[in-house]
Amino acid sequence: MRVRRRTVGDFAKAFLAFLALLVLLVGVPLALAMQFGWPLPHDVPSLDWLQQEITVQTFLNILSVVVWLAWAQFTACVLVEMKAALSGVGVPGRVPGAGPSQLLARQLVAALLLVGAAAASFTPGLSQLGHGLEGNQQGTVAVAQQTPGGLFGQQREQAAETAAAVAAQAASAAAQAEAKQGDTKYYRIQPPEGRHHDSLWEISQRHLGDGRRYKEIYALNKDRVQPDGSRLSEASLIRPGWIMEMPADAHGGELVEMPDGAADVSEQVRQQIHDYAKTGDHAQGGSDHAQGGGQQQAGGHQTGSHQQDGGSHASVPAQRQHQDHGGDTAVVPADSGRSFGLPEALLGAPLLAAGLLGALGHRRRQALWQSALGAVGGRRGMEPPTPTGDALDVQDALLVGADPEGVRRLDRSLRGLAAALAAESRPLPVVYAAWLTGGDLHLQLAQPAGKPPAPWQTGQDETFWMLGRADAERYEDADTAAPFPGLVSLGTMDDSRLLLNLEAVPGIVSLSGRAADRAAVFASVAAELATNGWSDRMTVTLVGFGQDLTPLAPNRLRHLDGIEALLETMEAETRQRRGALGAAGHDSVLTGRTGPAQHTRWAPHLVLLAAEPSAEDARRLAELASGAGRLGIGYLVGTEAAELPGAAWEMEITGEGRLLAPLLGLELDAQMLPSAEQQAVVELFVEADPENGPDGPAPTPPFLVDISEQGRPAVYARLVGPYEIIGLDTPDDERSALLHEALALLLLHREGVHPRVLSSALWPRGVTDDVRDALVERLRSWLGTDPDGTPRLRTDDTGRLILAKSVVSDLDVLRSLYHEATQGKGAGSRAVRGRLLTDALVVVRGPLLADRPEGRYRWLTHEIVDAQLPLIVADIGLALSSFHLEKDRADKAIEALDAALRTAPADERLWNELLRATHATGDTARLQALAADLVGRGGARGLPPRTEALLDELLPTWRTAVAAAG
């Protein structure tokens, strides 16, 4: 364990501070007692006392009283500052009238404690992590063996004891391996029955109760010689007659347990099992199996969807868990070379990916609305740019890696906890960290805070609160402020993901390591804080990096040029927050977040300083951070050296991507956002910015079709309205729904779909590669080939799946007709424009995939087309209405608007145009009926201001009619 070292100057300052405190606290009262004694009268003075002569002694006595009072005030200041520094919670109380005295006391106490402050050694936080000092004088923790409670609550064993335990464990494992042959269970692969073939998934489902445990069977049998001389490997098939060694808890009548079950099988099978048993880890000293099994099971059980293709009997390839979805883990290939270029950093950061994906979708929808309303010139047509290159890879990685359900569950759990505590008139506890393990949420408290409100439970001790996944999923949205917005992911340890609450750290968090590695950690922290879904308002100040990150969240991210500007800003804000807390009567921001002003005040301010400060700047930062935990201010500071003066918690990022904090007992696989991925993420956001729209004509749709009679497609899918496919026979098995959904996804992405994006869309809980690949092959077979023999589903050089031009959707036709009407032949011919707009509106039969079954097509929530289609249809309806009104064909205009409203019923522009078209008919009763219908639709919210103004113009009596109708 690394021991914190201080400089000679630090010790000198601490010694001088100690001497100053000794003189002021002890020397002053001793000197007063010896020189002046008790300055006040010993008995009640009489009136004669007022007539006595004023002497020099009288003045000295008065002066000594003033000095005694000043000493008492300074002593109170020292006690207040010492209590705040030792507790690590809250803002130091203000001693009335102290002013400079309290400032002097704070500086002396800080200088004294700065030397003795190791990683939170004077706080009840991560240095103790749930256990007292008794029996743990070093204040360290052990690495978790099972749960986050174990992570923080177990005492670290001495190195010798650990080595002895490991040696004993290894000896025990070897002994068990030698004795294993006598009581091991085996399974013999059965021959196919009809279209059904045996698979590791189904074997695991039958005999282990969970298909996801197929990896355990694979690890036990990998590369062992089978009776036919072949071996089980990642790319091979499991064949009838093969022998599979099973885990100890396997059950079922088809299993053979040696030697007890040998009588139930033939002599030939018994001999095969006997010979096979000699090929495992028993014959190899257990090394291969121990390593392989450990690697396979290190990540825990992985989830998947039990969708096995009937025509495939491929064994499940070796997989590894690459991301934690709060329990819903996705299965990805073990060989990083098969990732088709997707950034692994984002695939393994589900909370970060979900935040970025949500923020990007919001930005794109904002751009669409601004385009539709004409706020940005040159963007009509509403075709967002299609990413390419690295940006496309990053977008695919976000789609695969994101866990929006996990973010939603975390947010609801934290807000639900805050609401429950507020209902009991209890303050929020100070939370130092949170762990997500298999969907369960564990909170590490700075100190015991009583019994948690149901359904929360106490963890391993009173400093841990735990919420099970099943209880978390029952939470609904709560109308309360985000209680812990400063939580940010740092990395994973085994199956657990750590979120550190930067806002609650009692001082500075330092990060050392190589500059590039530190920058990747800083970028990840900044991006997640800027886009996470469990906070409301926040300010994140970036210094020394991240100027290009501000497009991710301009309202949250702020970049400063240097440390001097940061110190000036934070000194002012620290004073302001101290004063505001004092005026409000709160001891910390946590108290304020549960009060009446919870939604508007006490937003956190997190400082990410990548540039290493000088010694003097570090001292000033340490003074600012000494009470920052109460103020909702957190500091993460980078340093090249292993130490930073004044740092409460120290971390180090290694070249292998490991995040180390020895004094906190943590060693994580760090969450990072390398420079290349960072630039690609920023490119996605910049391209989606409505203020950066291109000038000139509207962008061309990514895929245009031949709308003439000669352009009739071979396969035509109707997506705008009920889903229907023309030109293909409907599959007659249980995979028809999956094939239809996969085809819809490909039709909405003519630029291509990454296989892993397809997999995560169809199976959000994860699925194995062989199941996905089998579905792709069935889809390719279903679509068939063009007359020239070219398959209608191909794979491009990047590994993405591409549909042939002969496979067309009505959405492709709609976009092509609209583009041709506004920028093609229709732009120069009124008659052609009217015909094309009419044809386009005929294509529209309702919302996108109107009859999609519940629980499927959940990937549409990330698709911009779901918001784009109503705007395109509304634009077509408005253009066609204007076309007819120019020739006084009001009824035709109304017909076009009614058709558009079936797909875009919430578009205010269509309703306003419908009012104008109805007014043009001259039928007042019809206009009054429409006005009444609009008022009814508005309900308690009323009508939009523009609609009210239009009604005042077209039908001045509408308010009277509404009032008369009640």
Side-chain angles (χ1 to χ4, degrees):
M1 183 178 69
R2 188 178 61 201
V3 179
R4 184 179 181 83
R5 297 187 298 273
R6 303 297 180 187
T7 64
V8 176
D10 291 335
F11 282 104
K13 291 178 182 179
F15 180 70
L16 293 176
F18 174 75
L19 289 181
L21 288 173
L22 187 66
V23 170
L24 293 174
L25 296 180
V26 181
V28 169
L30 287 177
L32 288 173
M34 294 174 60
Q35 293 295 326
F36 301 101
W38 186 249
L40 298 178
H42 295 282
D43 51 13
V44 179
S46 63
L47 293 177
D48 295 338
W49 180 77
L50 298 175
Q51 300 175 356
Q52 291 180 0
E53 181 181 1
I54 298 177
T55 63
V56 174
Q57 187 62 37
T58 303
F59 281 107
L60 291 178
N61 288 340
I62 294 174
L63 182 60
S64 66
V65 170
V66 173
V67 176
W68 273 107
L69 293 176
W71 172 85
Q73 184 188 58
F74 180 77
T75 302
C77 293
V78 172
L79 293 176
V80 168
E81 293 295 331
M82 188 71 73
K83 176 181 179 296
L86 292 175
S87 66
V89 182
V91 180
R94 301 178 62 184
V95 179
S101 296
Q102 187 164 4
L103 179 60
L104 175 61
R106 181 177 304 142
Q107 293 174 342
L108 293 175
V109 169
L112 181 61
L113 294 180
L114 191 61
V115 173
S121 60
F122 49 84
T123 71
L126 291 177
S127 62
Q128 297 181 17
L129 303 171
H131 53 75
L133 292 177
E134 182 179 359
N136 186 23
Q137 300 301 321
Q138 291 181 332
T140 61
V141 293
V143 176
Q145 295 289 331
Q146 297 174 348
T147 66
L151 245 175
F152 287 132
Q154 299 177 18
Q155 182 177 359
R156 183 188 298 272
E157 299 292 344
Q158 297 297 328
E161 296 176 357
T162 303
V166 171
Q169 204 171 28
S172 175
Q176 292 177 5
E178 293 177 0
K180 189 174 182 181
Q181 182 177 354
D183 58 0
T184 302
K185 299 174 183 177
Y186 294 88
Y187 175 83
R188 192 166 184 266
I189 304 300
Q190 301 300 312
E193 296 181 5
R195 298 180 61 187
H196 174 77
H197 293 73
D198 229 345
S199 69
L200 290 186
W201 182 285
E202 295 185 350
I203 296 170
S204 178
Q205 184 73 32
R206 291 197 305 269
H207 299 292
L208 298 177
D210 187 353
R212 295 169 293 183
R213 294 182 61 186
Y214 69 86
K215 285 174 53 184
E216 298 178 37
I217 306 175
Y218 177 82
L220 287 171
N221 298 277
K222 181 177 182 293
D223 294 331
R224 295 171 64 176
V225 179
Q226 293 292 337
D228 62 359
S230 57
R231 299 172 185 264
L232 173 65
S233 63
E234 291 186 7
S236 67
L237 305 176
I238 59 173
R239 301 172 183 172
W242 278 12
I243 307 297
M244 293 289 126
E245 181 180 335
M246 301 293 289
D249 61 338
H251 54 82
E254 299 171 338
L255 300 179
V256 177
E257 185 171 353
M258 297 291 287
D260 297 339
D264 299 331
V265 298
S266 65
E267 177 63 29
Q268 180 184 7
V269 173
R270 182 164 60 249
Q271 184 61 41
Q272 288 178 351
I273 295 177
H274 180 76
D275 294 340
Y276 184 74
K278 297 179 180 179
T279 66
D281 56 322
H282 328 304
Q284 301 174 16
S287 59
D288 292 344
H289 172 65
Q291 293 175 4
Q295 291 172 357
Q296 293 298 325
Q297 301 182 43
H301 302 321
Q302 297 175 335
T303 61
S305 190
H306 190 189
Q307 300 282 350
Q308 190 71 25
D309 183 75
S312 171
H313 52 284
S315 66
V316 180
Q319 309 282 337
R320 64 183 173 88
Q321 177 174 315
H322 190 78
Q323 61 189 31
D324 179 4
H325 281 195
D328 292 347
T329 55
V331 180
V332 298
D335 184 1
S336 61
R338 296 184 180 180
S339 65
F340 297 107
L342 295 190
E344 298 289 339
L346 291 170
L347 292 175
L351 304 184
L352 170 61
L356 289 172
L357 194 60
L360 181 61
H362 176 76
R363 181 73 56 84
R364 286 173 171 171
R365 282 169 171 78
Q366 185 182 29
L368 278 177
W369 278 106
Q370 291 198 22
S371 299
L373 298 176
V376 179
R379 288 294 295 270
R380 290 189 65 82
M382 293 155 289
E383 291 296 340
T386 301
T388 57
D390 290 343
L392 180 57
D393 289 339
V394 162
Q395 178 175 275
D396 285 343
L398 293 178
L399 290 168
V400 174
D403 181 21
E405 288 299 322
V407 171
R408 188 177 298 109
R409 189 164 54 246
L410 173 63
D411 181 49
R412 288 179 173 177
S413 299
L414 296 177
R415 293 181 194 266
L417 173 63
L421 290 172
E424 298 177 7
S425 299
R426 295 171 58 186
L428 291 169
V430 177
V431 172
Y432 278 163
W435 286 87
L436 290 172
T437 305
D440 297 341
L441 174 61
H442 302 254
L443 298 182
Q444 165 64 35
L445 312 185
Q447 57 189 4
K451 183 179 179 181
W456 289 78
Q457 303 174 6
T458 303
Q460 71 171 59
D461 58 33
E462 294 181 348
T463 62
F464 285 93
W465 286 3
M466 190 273 289
L467 180 68
R469 174 172 182 157
D471 293 323
E473 289 177 342
R474 287 195 287 267
Y475 268 120
E476 300 292 338
D477 292 332
D479 185 21
T480 186
F484 309 115
L487 287 170
V488 64
S489 303
L490 290 186
T492 57
M493 179 185 290
D494 296 328
D495 295 337
S496 299
R497 181 171 301 277
L498 170 67
L499 289 87
L500 183 67
N501 191 2
L502 286 177
E503 180 189 21
V505 176
I508 293 174
V509 179
S510 69
L511 177 65
S512 61
R514 297 187 309 179
D517 298 327
R518 295 201 317 268
V521 174
F522 271 102
S524 171
V525 171
E528 186 168 299
L529 289 173
T531 60
N532 72 53
W534 55 88
S535 62
D536 298 322
R537 297 169 56 249
M538 180 189 301
T539 298
V540 183
T541 297
L542 312 179
V543 183
F545 83 107
Q547 187 172 5
D548 56 339
L549 287 174
T550 52
L552 301 185
N555 295 330
R556 283 194 184 184
L557 293 180
R558 176 178 63 177
H559 181 267
L560 295 181
D561 293 332
I563 298 178
E564 190 59 37
L566 171 68
L567 291 171
E568 181 179 349
T569 300
M570 298 314 298
E571 285 172 351
E573 181 161 350
T574 300
R575 288 194 300 269
Q576 186 273 333
R577 290 203 174 205
R578 288 183 186 274
L581 280 176
H586 299 311
D587 62 343
S588 75
V589 294
L590 293 178
T591 308
R593 282 184 189 149
T594 56
Q598 56 175 316
H599 291 286
T600 57
R601 303 177 66 179
W602 321 121
H605 186 165
L606 304 176
V607 176
L608 308 181
L609 174 58
E612 183 171 11
S614 64
E616 177 60 23
D617 291 337
R619 183 191 65 79
R620 294 172 64 184
L621 278 174
E623 292 179 357
L624 289 172
S626 61
R630 295 181 181 182
L631 304 176
I633 302 175
Y635 295 88
L636 177 62
V637 181
T639 174
E640 294 182 4
E643 299 176 356
L644 181 71
W649 296 346
E650 296 177 337
M651 300 186 299
E652 176 187 358
I653 179 66
T654 69
E656 294 75 30
R658 301 286 290 174
L659 190 66
L660 310 178
L663 293 178
L664 305 181
L666 299 176
E667 184 173 346
L668 310 170
D669 290 322
Q671 179 172 298
M672 306 168 71
L673 187 60
S675 176
E677 285 81 352
Q678 175 185 333
Q679 294 175 7
V681 167
V682 171
E683 180 183 341
L684 287 174
F685 277 80
V686 170
E687 289 294 325
D689 190 345
E691 300 299 328
N692 294 332
D695 297 328
T700 302
F703 179 72
L704 293 175
V705 300
D706 184 357
I707 56 177
S708 66
E709 284 295 329
Q710 292 74 25
R712 186 178 299 274
V715 178
Y716 184 63
R718 306 180 74 180
L719 306 179
V720 185
Y723 194 179
E724 180 184 356
I725 299 179
I726 302 172
L728 292 177
D729 295 331
T730 302
D732 56 357
D733 58 18
E734 68 278 5
R735 292 164 190 81
S736 175
L738 277 174
L739 292 172
H740 279 73
E741 186 173 355
L743 179 57
L745 179 62
L746 290 166
L747 285 167
L748 294 178
H749 289 276
R750 303 305 303 226
E751 72 278 7
V753 176
H754 198 286
R756 296 173 71 174
V757 174
L758 178 69
S759 177
S760 64
L762 299 183
W763 295 281
R765 295 178 63 89
V767 75
T768 56
D769 287 353
D770 61 327
V771 175
R772 178 201 66 200
D773 295 342
L775 179 75
V776 171
E777 288 305 316
R778 288 183 63 84
L779 180 61
R780 183 176 283 114
S781 175
W782 181 43
L783 291 174
T785 60
D786 285 332
D788 60 358
T790 304
R792 292 175 181 148
L793 178 62
R794 63 180 179 86
T795 303
D796 68 4
D797 295 338
T798 66
R800 289 178 171 83
L801 302 170
I802 305 281
L803 286 174
K805 293 183 178 181
S806 59
V807 183
V808 173
S809 74
D810 55 357
L811 184 59
D812 299 327
V813 174
L814 178 68
R815 286 171 165 164
S816 300
L817 288 169
Y818 180 61
H819 175 76
E820 190 68 19
T822 55
Q823 299 183 56
K825 297 178 180 179
S829 171
R830 185 180 184 281
V832 173
R833 181 170 69 254
R835 178 175 54 81
L836 291 172
L837 290 173
T838 302
D839 291 344
L841 208 54
V842 169
V843 173
V844 179
R845 300 174 299 125
L848 185 70
L849 297 168
D851 58 351
R852 58 181 180 260
E854 185 177 358
R856 302 212 66 90
Y857 297 87
R858 285 179 290 184
W859 46 269
L860 276 174
T861 57
H862 302 309
E863 296 290 338
I864 195 65
V865 68
D866 219 13
Q868 182 188 26
L869 175 62
L871 295 178
I872 293 178
V873 173
D875 260 20
I876 294 173
L878 292 171
L880 191 55
S881 171
S882 176
F883 173 82
H884 288 305
L885 288 177
E886 289 177 2
K887 296 296 185 180
D888 296 327
R889 294 194 292 263
D891 288 333
K892 288 288 187 179
I894 293 173
E895 182 181 342
L897 294 169
D898 285 337
L901 281 167
R902 286 194 289 271
T903 299
D907 198 308
E908 180 188 355
R909 300 172 301 160
L910 289 175
W911 289 107
N912 291 347
E913 188 67 14
L914 184 60
L915 284 172
R916 295 188 181 93
T918 305
H919 179 265
T921 63
D923 190 340
T924 305
R926 189 174 179 182
L927 183 60
Q928 289 175 339
L930 176 59
D933 182 40
L934 284 174
V935 171
R937 289 174 180 271
R941 296 172 301 179
L943 295 176
R946 292 184 180 179
T947 303
E948 284 192 354
L950 183 60
L951 278 173
D952 288 337
E953 175 187 348
L954 302 179
L955 189 65
T957 61
W958 74 275
R959 296 180 188 273
T960 305
V962 170

